[in-house]
Amino acid sequence: MRWSNLFIPTLRDAPAEAEAVSHQLLVRGGFIRQLQSGHYSMLPLGWKIHKKVSAIIREEMDAIGGQEFLLPAMHPADLWQKSGRWETMGEEMFRFVDRKGADQALGMTHEEVFASLGTEITSYRHLPQIWYQIQTKFRDEPRPKSGLLRVREFAMKDSYSFDIDDEGLNTSFDLHHGAYVQIFSRLGLDAFPVEASSGAMGGSASVEFMVESDAGEDDVARCLSCGYSANVERASTALIPIENRSSGDEPESFPTPDVRTIAALAELGHSPEHQIKTLVYVVDGELTLILLRGDHPFLEQKFIDITGAGDLRPATGEEIRSALGASPGSLGAVGVTNLPIYVDLALQNRSGMATGANTDDVHYSGVDVQRDINVTKWVDVRAILEGEPCTNCGDPITITRCIEAGHIFKLGRRYAEAMGTTVLDSEGKSQTLTMGSYGIGVERAMAAVAETHHDENGLMWPMSITPYEVVITLLKTDHTESVASAEQIYNELSESGIDVLLDDREERPGVKFADSELIGIPLRVTIGPRGLENGIAELNTRSNNQQTEISLDSVVGEVTNLVTEGRSKSS
C-alpha cells in the first residue's frame, strides 16, 4: 500500500477528553474516530489490527476444537426472561420495543442464545462441544471512558462449552485457559490469570486475565513471593492478630453526643480496630444489617457473590430509623433479633468492642460479638488493604491496577436448566448439560497492547498485529534514483509476503519520521539520495529505536529475516 493513497488522518494533539495513553495514540495515529460517546469507527489502520487480533483468536479457538458461529445481536426479551437476567441486568442492557410491540434487547452476551441452540444436542455421544463467535456486543455504560477500554459497542469473542458432567467442564475450562495464555502471548500482552468474581454471569468459578496498566479499572491483589493473585472483589488476606480489650458480663452504654463517625468515636479512646461498623442495606427487599470491623471497608460484590443477592442498595434514613429507632452514627446489632445480620469474619471471637446502641448519641462498650449479637451468617465481605499478609505464605500483599483482557467462567447448569438443554446419557436418562463461558474483547485487546507498547513518540506494535510490518520512507519523491530504488524494494518485499507500506508522500522527512513512529510500524527503511550515493539504506527498529546502515542489496533479505523472526515469536 502507498501512503499517498491510504487514509491515515494523523493528529498533532490528542483530544482534550482523552486521558488513557491508548485513547490518545489511537486517535492521534488515525486508527479510530469517535462517533458518539462510547462508539468508535475503525479506520483502515485500526481495522487491519482488529482483523489480525481476531485471526489470532480464531486460530487458537480452532486449535482446541472450537466451531465458529455468528448469532444475532438483537434478542427477544423472552429468552432473557427464561434465565431471569431480563430483570437483573438493569440499565446496562439496551432495550426497546419493536413496531409489533415486542420487547427486544441488544445482546450484552450470548449465554441464553447459545444455550437455546444447545437444545439440539440430543446425545452424550455428541459431547463435548465448544462453540464460539466474534460478534458485536452492546452495553449501555453510564460513563464510557478511556477510548476503547470502556465503550457501549464492541466486538467480543465469546465461546461456550457444553459437557455432560463437571469433569468435562473442568477439561473445557482448562482448554480455554491454555488457549487464552497462548492468545495473549501472541498479542504481546503480559497477561496473568487471577481468581475473580463471577458477578451477573453466575457459576462456580471464574478466572480473569489481567494486564498491569494504570489505565485499568480493576485492582488485583498479588503476592510476589508465592504467586497468589486475585481480583480485590474476590481476594482474601490473613488478619494481623489483635488483642481483645477486657469486657464485663454485658455491654455497657455510654453517652456519645454528636459522635457520628468511626474517627469521632476513636477520639474517645475506641480505636477503629476495636469498633463494630454497622451498615444497613435492603437485600432483595429485606432490611439487613452488615457488620464489619471499624477500619475495614465493605465490598458489595463480595456480599453479592456470597448471598446471591439480586437487588442490593443502602437503606434510606427513614427505613433505618423505622427499624432500629436511631440514625446512622448510633447504629448497632446488640439486641436485634428481627433482622438478618451478616457479620464479617474479622469479627469472629472479638470482644471488648464498641458499637452504636440504636439510641441517638449513645454507644455500647464491652461488646462480645458471639455473646451479644444474633449472627445470621459469618461472611468475608471486607475489602482487603495493601500490605496485609498473604493467606498462603504470610508475605505482604500488593495491589496493582490492571486491565481485564479476558474472563473465563464455569457457568454450571444455570442457563441449560433455563433453556431445557438436556441430552440422553449412556443409560438413556435425561441429563442437563453443564456450560462454560469465555470472553475476550477485540478492541480492548488492541487498547491493552497500545497501553503497554508505546514510548513518548508513539505506538510500538508487535509484529503479530501491526497494521504494516515495514514502512519504506522515501525522503525525496522528486529524486528519480531514490524513487526507483524504493519501488524495487517495495515490490520485492510485497512479493515475499511482507505487509509493506511505501511512504511516497510529498512531505518533509521530519513529518514522515514522526508519523511512522506515531503509528508504530516495527521496521522502517529510509531511502534517500545521500545513502544511494554510498549504496546504503537506513534500517530503524521501532521497538528499541536502533538505527543501522545496510547495503541496498541486503535490504530485502534483512527485512524479511527480521519480519520472519518477529512473526515466529507470536506463532
Side-chain angles (χ1 to χ4, degrees):
M1 178 62 73
R2 299 173 187 276
W3 200 314
S4 59
N5 296 329
L6 188 59
F7 183 62
I8 311 179
T10 58
L11 301 174
R12 178 174 298 178
D13 299 311
E17 72 277 6
E19 297 178 0
V21 172
S22 60
H23 188 189
Q24 297 171 4
L25 293 178
L26 290 173
V27 171
R28 285 188 56 215
F31 295 86
I32 61 174
R33 285 294 182 268
Q34 180 174 293
L35 178 63
Q36 60 176 322
S37 179
H39 299 263
Y40 285 86
S41 300
M42 284 285 157
L43 306 188
L45 288 185
W47 186 238
K48 278 180 70 73
I49 296 173
H50 194 287
K51 289 190 292 184
K52 289 186 176 184
V53 171
S54 299
I56 288 173
I57 293 172
R58 282 190 172 96
E59 288 171 10
E60 296 302 328
M61 289 306 304
D62 291 347
I64 63 170
Q67 304 166 68
E68 186 168 8
F69 288 57
L70 183 61
L71 276 54
M74 186 172 73
H75 305 165
D78 66 326
L79 204 60
W80 288 75
Q81 288 164 349
K82 285 182 180 178
S83 69
R85 293 206 296 175
W86 182 259
E87 293 76 19
T88 60
M89 279 302 187
E91 295 181 352
E92 287 193 355
M93 177 181 279
F94 280 103
R95 309 165 195 252
F96 63 97
V97 178
D98 66 18
R99 65 174 63 191
K100 295 181 180 180
D103 286 324
Q104 306 281 349
L106 297 179
M108 302 171 64
T109 181
H110 277 70
E111 280 78 13
E112 286 81 358
V113 184
F114 270 103
S116 68
L117 289 172
T119 60
E120 298 193 45
I121 305 171
T122 57
S123 171
Y124 74 96
R125 293 186 179 90
H126 301 147
L127 298 173
Q129 292 282 324
I130 294 176
W131 297 349
Y132 78 95
Q133 65 171 347
I134 297 178
Q135 168 63 298
T136 303
K137 301 291 193 291
F138 299 88
R139 186 169 296 151
D140 195 0
E141 286 279 0
R143 293 174 299 278
K145 56 179 275 189
S146 302
L148 300 181
L149 288 173
R150 189 201 278 185
V151 292
R152 304 203 304 169
E153 177 181 355
F154 54 97
M156 175 176 281
K157 186 288 299 177
D158 50 324
S159 56
Y160 304 85
S161 60
F162 296 85
D163 290 279
I164 198 167
D165 54 28
D166 291 341
E167 183 179 354
L169 173 58
N170 291 340
T171 299
S172 295
F173 190 86
D174 291 343
L175 283 172
H176 277 84
H177 191 288
Y180 275 40
V181 169
Q182 185 68 2
I183 287 167
F184 294 126
S185 175
R186 293 180 64 183
L187 293 178
L189 287 173
D190 185 16
F192 57 95
V194 307
E195 297 176 21
S197 163
S198 295
M201 299 288 285
S204 61
S206 74
V207 170
E208 291 171 323
F209 289 83
M210 293 295 196
V211 176
E212 188 172 341
S213 170
D214 291 337
E217 295 184 320
D218 287 272
D219 288 325
V220 173
R222 305 184 73 181
C223 177
L224 302 181
S225 297
C226 71
Y228 171 79
S229 59
N231 192 305
V232 293
E233 294 179 345
R234 182 80 174 185
S236 297
T237 54
L239 288 169
I240 298 173
I242 293 177
E243 185 175 347
N244 285 325
R245 300 187 301 182
S246 60
S247 58
D249 294 334
E250 61 182 21
E252 297 182 4
S253 63
F254 63 99
T256 51
D258 298 323
V259 172
R260 295 289 183 270
T261 65
I262 298 292
L265 189 58
E267 292 179 0
L268 299 181
H270 302 277
S271 58
E273 66 270 20
H274 293 294
Q275 295 184 41
I276 300 172
K277 176 163 46 181
T278 303
L279 306 178
V280 187
Y281 272 72
V282 178
V283 182
D284 291 332
E286 184 176 23
L287 207 69
T288 301
L289 303 188
I290 302 170
L291 309 186
L292 298 99
R293 209 170 79 184
D295 56 338
H296 286 165
F298 174 51
L299 200 56
E300 286 189 1
Q301 189 61 54
K302 277 190 174 183
F303 185 83
I304 292 170
D305 290 344
I306 290 170
T307 63
D311 184 28
L312 180 72
R313 65 170 177 83
T316 65
E318 291 181 1
E319 290 170 326
I320 293 171
R321 178 164 283 281
S322 175
L324 297 174
S327 298
S330 299
L331 304 178
V334 174
V336 175
T337 59
N338 61 334
L339 298 176
I341 303 174
Y342 290 86
V343 184
D344 186 73
L345 293 172
L347 289 174
Q348 277 189 325
N349 301 314
R350 292 302 310 278
S351 59
M353 304 292 285
T355 187
N358 288 331
T359 300
D360 287 342
D361 299 325
V362 178
H363 279 72
Y364 282 128
S365 63
V367 174
D368 183 312
V369 176
Q370 256 108 337
R371 180 193 67 193
D372 301 322
I373 295 175
N374 184 32
V375 178
T376 302
K377 187 174 183 179
W378 295 96
V379 289
D380 174 13
V381 293
R382 71 181 181 92
I384 68 166
L385 301 174
E386 186 157 18
E388 291 180 337
C390 172
T391 56
N392 294 335
C393 70
D395 281 357
I397 286 288
T398 61
I399 296 179
T400 306
R401 181 55 56 95
C402 294
I403 297 169
E404 179 196 322
H407 203 160
I408 59 178
F409 302 84
K410 293 182 180 180
L411 296 177
R413 293 174 172 80
R414 170 183 177 180
Y415 299 95
E417 287 176 349
M419 302 301 159
T421 310
T422 62
V423 300
L424 297 178
D425 63 16
S426 60
E427 298 179 354
K429 296 179 180 179
S430 179
Q431 299 287 348
T432 300
L433 296 185
T434 184
M435 294 176 59
S437 176
Y438 318 88
I440 293 178
V442 178
E443 292 95 342
R444 175 170 284 204
M446 292 171 54
V449 174
E451 285 289 340
T452 54
H453 292 71
H454 68 270
D455 63 12
E456 66 276 8
N457 296 320
L459 293 157
M460 305 167 75
W461 295 111
M463 196 69 75
S464 58
I465 61 171
T466 180
Y468 293 95
E469 293 164 324
V470 58
V471 57
I472 300 171
T473 301
L474 181 59
L475 295 183
K476 295 184 70 65
T477 57
D478 58 355
H479 185 257
T480 304
E481 291 81 0
S482 294
V483 172
S485 180
E487 290 279 0
Q488 181 180 347
I489 294 172
Y490 171 75
N491 289 331
E492 291 183 15
L493 288 172
S494 297
E495 291 170 1
S496 298
I498 306 298
D499 209 351
V500 58
L501 175 63
L502 175 60
D503 191 352
D504 58 346
R505 296 174 297 164
E506 294 183 4
E507 291 283 1
R508 293 179 291 107
V511 172
K512 293 187 175 186
F513 293 151
D515 281 349
S516 70
E517 291 180 342
L518 175 60
I519 68 174
I521 297 176
L523 300 172
R524 185 181 73 222
V525 175
T526 303
I527 304 295
R530 183 176 301 175
L532 286 180
E533 290 179 2
N534 299 309
I536 60 172
E538 184 179 88
L539 176 63
N540 177 273
T541 304
R542 181 72 184 93
S543 61
N544 56 17
N545 290 319
Q546 181 178 345
Q547 296 182 2
T548 56
E549 292 183 344
I550 59 174
S551 68
L552 288 169
D553 293 339
S554 64
V555 167
V556 172
E558 180 68 17
V559 168
T560 301
N561 288 338
L562 289 172
V563 170
T564 301
E565 180 182 348
R567 290 175 178 175
S568 67
K569 292 178 180 178
S570 62
S571 61

